[in-house]
Each structure stands twice: as C-alpha cells, then as structure tokens.
C-alpha cells in the first residue's frame, strides 16, 4: 500500500478544499462561514474525525498485510514507502515546469560556439513562462475587446457607481438613524418612548421659562396657535437648536442636547397644542398654519385670528 502523500498533508488539504467550496457557495459576509454558521464547523469536525478514522483503519490494515510479507518483500515495501515521503511527485512536477534536459542528455542541445571553454545550451523556454505568456496574450485580447471595443465599465465608471450606491445607502441610513436628524430631515416623533424622553427634557430645561404645563412665563405660551418664530416640527427644532430672538430669546441648546433629544423635546412641545394650562400667558407672535397639513372646513372655522395679527404661512 504505497502512499504518495503523507496523512498530515492529505487530511488538511481535503479539509481546506471542503472549506473553500463552502465559502464559495455560502455568502457569509465579512465573517468566515464556520463562524456565521456554527453547524458548518461541526460538519468540518465530523469530516476530520471520519478522515482520521479512515486513516487509522488503513494503517491497521497496512500493518496486518505487512506482517504477512516475507523479508525481501518487506525490504522492498519499506524502500518504496520511504521514497513516497520524499515528495517525488513534487520534484517531477518542478522539473516539468522548468523544461530542462537531464544532465546526461545535455549533449543533444549544446551549441557549437565556444567562449574560452564556456559553451551554451540551447534550452527551450520554461513551460511555466511560455504558458504564462500565452495566458497574458489571451487576457490582453479579452481586455482590449471588452474595454476598448465594446466600451465596458472601467474603473472610473465602477467608482461612480459605487459612490452613487454609497450615497443612496447613506440617505437611507439617515432616515432610520434618529441621532443624525437635522432641520431638513426632522419629522414629528409619535412613539411613546420618544415623547416621554422629550417630556423629561422639557421638565429639566424648559419649565423655568415655559412652565410645566406649557402655559408660559418668561417664555411664550406653547399651548396656543401663536408662534413667534414659526410652529411645526421643523421651526421648533430650529428654535430649540439655534436659539430664539437675539438678545431676548432663549439660548441655543445644540451644545447641550443631541439632535435626537432636540427632536424629542420639539415633538413633545407639539403635544401641548390645544391643552389648557393653569395660567396661560397672552398669545405672542402670529397664528401659524401648516400649509402641508390637510385643512377641512371645520378646522378653518375653529381658527380665530385677531385683527391686529397676520396669519403666517410657512
């Protein structure tokens, strides 16, 4: 039972091939397949155990057959087995790739000219170099046809495509990443968790000027339809972030609050609209109407505008 490759080379090679096939057919992302799917690791371990068991059984059978041989057969067998571990197949492959003549056959390819006793052999080009050259010619022909004849996508086109895809992915991410919100992307939050967080922020930072019920004190009343700097989620977000009127408005909170927190407190302020505070402050500013909101006859009839005020559409 002559073996050309020892078990310590053969078994890991088989496992490596199996793992490579699994990685090729399973898209596991950045992590290796056996980490993404632990069952694959169990499968590889099972294959390893089977291969080790087969190797062990083969060695046992080999020993049994070896004991039945006579002394001369044993000597021949051991000599052949010793040679099999010398990787003669690798050496032969290496020689074929070089394409050299054996020393005893060099006389057939020696050239006539002689330079001070130095003669030259007329060796052919090494097969590895020759095949590589042929492959490069084929590759160049395919490359020429694809990119210069049929105008295939070049690296600049691929870069522009990837940049466009990345920009789309970033915009999609911004829509779901609340903490990346800004004046252009903010929307009114309606989840109870966001409103509760906004209420907590309001009670910590806003009650001193607007009162706990939003009725107003130093700051304006937040429960009526009048707004000094405009109502709606975008205007309120901007006012909280950038501050109120210069010299007499509230401070800018963008240094103390994160964008998500500003969106939460702005959304909570909108829930105070139409409530009845204990001591409401007189209306200030203009009645603000959202032109993007659906307006019904009943809604219009409910809005009473003082004759000294103007309706601000934003």
């Amino acid at each position: 039972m002559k073996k050309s490759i020892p078990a310590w080379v053969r078994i890991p090679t088989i496992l490596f091939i199996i793992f490579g096939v699994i990685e090729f057919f399973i898209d596991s992302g950045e992590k290796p397949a056996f980490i993404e799917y632990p069952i694959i690791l169990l499968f590889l371990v099972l294959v390893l155990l089977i291969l080790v068991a087969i190797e062990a059984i083969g060695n046992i059978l080999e020993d049994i057959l070896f004991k039945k041989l006579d002394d001369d057969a044993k000597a021949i067998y051991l000599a052949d087995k010793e040679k099999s571990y010398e990787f003669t197949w690798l050496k032969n492959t290496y020689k074929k790739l070089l394409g050299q003549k054996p020393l005893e056959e060099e006389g057939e390819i020696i050239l006539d000219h002689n330079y001070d006793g130095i003669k030259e052999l007329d060796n052919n080009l090494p097969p590895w170099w020759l095949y590589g050259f042929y492959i490069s010619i084929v590759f160049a022909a395919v490359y020429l046809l694809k990119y210069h004849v049929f105008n295939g996508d070049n690296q600049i086109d691929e870069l522009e495509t990837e940049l466009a895809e990345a920009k789309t992915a970033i915009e999609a991410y911004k829509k779901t990443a609340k903490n990346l919100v800004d004046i252009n992307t903010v929307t009114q939050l309606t989840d109870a968790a966001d409103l509760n967080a906004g209420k907590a922020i309001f009670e910590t930072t806003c009650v001193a000027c607007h009162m706990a019920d939003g009725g107003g004190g130093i700051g304006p009343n937040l429960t009526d339809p009048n707004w000094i700097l405009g109502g709606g989620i975008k205007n309120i977000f901007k006012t909280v972030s950038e501050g109120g009127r210069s010299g007499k408005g509230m401070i800018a909170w963008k240094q103390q609050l994160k964008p998500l927190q500003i969106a939460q407190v702005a959304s909570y302020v909108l829930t105070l609209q139409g409530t009845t505070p204990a001591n409401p402050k007189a209306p200030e500013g203009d009645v603000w109407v959202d032109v993007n909101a659906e307006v019904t006859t009943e809604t219009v009839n409910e809005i009473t505008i003082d004759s000294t005020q103007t309706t601000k559409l934003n």
Side-chain angles (χ1 to χ4, degrees), residues 175-178 187-200 233 260-261 263-271:
K175 292 179 180 179
T176 58
K178 293 181 178 179
T187 57
Q188 184 175 353
L189 304 176
T190 57
D191 290 345
D194 290 320
L195 295 178
N196 290 334
K199 181 180 180 181
I233 187 63
L260 173 58
Q261 293 175 313
Q264 289 171 335
V265 72
S267 298
Y268 173 73
V269 167
L270 287 173
T271 65

Side-chain angles (χ1 to χ4, degrees), residues 153-201:
D153 292 341
N154 55 33
Q155 292 179 330
I156 300 299
D157 296 328
E158 293 175 358
L159 176 61
E160 292 177 350
T161 300
E162 291 178 0
L163 288 177
E165 292 175 352
K167 185 176 180 180
T168 302
I170 290 172
E171 294 301 324
Y173 174 72
K174 284 183 177 180
K175 292 179 180 179
T176 58
K178 293 181 178 179
N179 219 25
L180 293 179
V181 68
D182 57 23
I183 184 63
N184 298 312
T185 60
V186 65
T187 57
Q188 184 175 353
L189 304 176
T190 57
D191 290 345
D194 290 320
L195 295 178
N196 290 334
K199 181 180 180 181
I201 297 170

Side-chain angles (χ1 to χ4, degrees), residues 123-136:
N123 280 312
N124 294 324
L125 289 171
W128 67 265
W129 189 95
L130 198 59
Y131 297 148
F133 181 66
Y134 293 152
I135 292 173
S136 67

Side-chain angles (χ1 to χ4, degrees), residues 234-255:
K234 292 185 182 296
N235 287 321
I236 299 174
F237 181 93
K238 180 180 179 181
T239 303
V240 176
S241 176
E242 305 298 330
R245 293 167 294 174
S246 177
K248 55 181 177 180
M250 71 177 187
I251 65 170
W253 287 97
K254 61 184 178 181
Q255 300 299 330

Side-chain angles (χ1 to χ4, degrees), residues 46-309:
L46 179 62
V47 172
L48 176 62
L49 294 176
I50 293 174
L51 291 175
V52 171
I54 293 174
E55 186 69 24
I57 294 173
N59 290 335
I60 293 173
L61 295 176
E62 184 179 8
D63 291 338
I64 293 174
L65 294 175
F66 179 76
K67 292 178 180 178
K68 294 180 179 180
L69 299 176
D70 55 32
D71 293 340
D72 293 337
K74 287 181 179 179
I76 295 173
Y77 174 80
L78 291 175
D80 291 340
K81 188 173 183 180
E82 185 68 24
K83 290 181 180 179
S84 69
Y85 288 105
E86 295 179 356
F87 295 102
T88 54
W89 59 274
L90 183 60
K91 293 180 180 179
N92 292 334
T93 302
Y94 176 72
K95 289 180 179 179
K96 289 180 180 179
L97 289 176
L98 290 180
Q100 294 178 336
K101 288 277 188 179
L103 289 176
E104 57 272 13
E105 299 178 10
E106 284 186 351
E108 301 175 5
I109 58 173
I110 195 168
L111 296 177
D112 295 334
H113 51 263
N114 187 326
Y115 298 98
D116 296 330
I118 300 175
K119 295 184 179 181
E120 184 180 0
L121 298 178
D122 188 18
N123 280 312
N124 294 324
L125 289 171
W128 67 265
W129 189 95
L130 198 59
Y131 297 148
F133 181 66
Y134 293 152
I135 292 173
S136 67
I137 294 175
V138 174
F139 176 82
V142 174
Y143 187 93
L144 177 67
L145 291 173
K146 180 176 181 180
Y147 294 106
H148 295 279
V149 176
F150 298 107
N151 296 322
D153 292 341
N154 55 33
Q155 292 179 330
I156 300 299
D157 296 328
E158 293 175 358
L159 176 61
E160 292 177 350
T161 300
E162 291 178 0
L163 288 177
E165 292 175 352
K167 185 176 180 180
T168 302
I170 290 172
E171 294 301 324
Y173 174 72
K174 284 183 177 180
K175 292 179 180 179
T176 58
K178 293 181 178 179
N179 219 25
L180 293 179
V181 68
D182 57 23
I183 184 63
N184 298 312
T185 60
V186 65
T187 57
Q188 184 175 353
L189 304 176
T190 57
D191 290 345
D194 290 320
L195 295 178
N196 290 334
K199 181 180 180 181
I201 297 170
F202 184 87
E203 292 175 346
T204 302
T205 61
C206 306
V207 293
C209 297
H210 298 282
M211 299 301 173
D213 56 8
I218 300 174
N221 186 349
L222 301 177
T223 65
D224 59 39
N226 294 61
W227 294 91
I228 298 174
L229 298 176
I233 187 63
K234 292 185 182 296
N235 287 321
I236 299 174
F237 181 93
K238 180 180 179 181
T239 303
V240 176
S241 176
E242 305 298 330
R245 293 167 294 174
S246 177
K248 55 181 177 180
M250 71 177 187
I251 65 170
W253 287 97
K254 61 184 178 181
Q255 300 299 330
Q256 290 88 350
L257 300 177
K258 296 179 180 179
L260 173 58
Q261 293 175 313
I262 297 176
Q264 289 171 335
V265 72
S267 298
Y268 173 73
V269 167
L270 287 173
T271 65
L272 298 175
Q273 289 282 284
T275 61
T276 305
N279 298 300
K281 189 177 180 180
E284 299 177 79
D286 304 318
V287 173
W288 189 88
V289 179
D290 187 357
V291 295
N292 295 319
E294 182 179 352
V295 180
T296 63
T297 303
E298 292 76 7
T299 304
V300 173
N301 291 335
E302 290 176 358
I303 299 177
T304 303
I305 304 174
D306 189 274
S307 61
T308 60
Q309 298 173 338

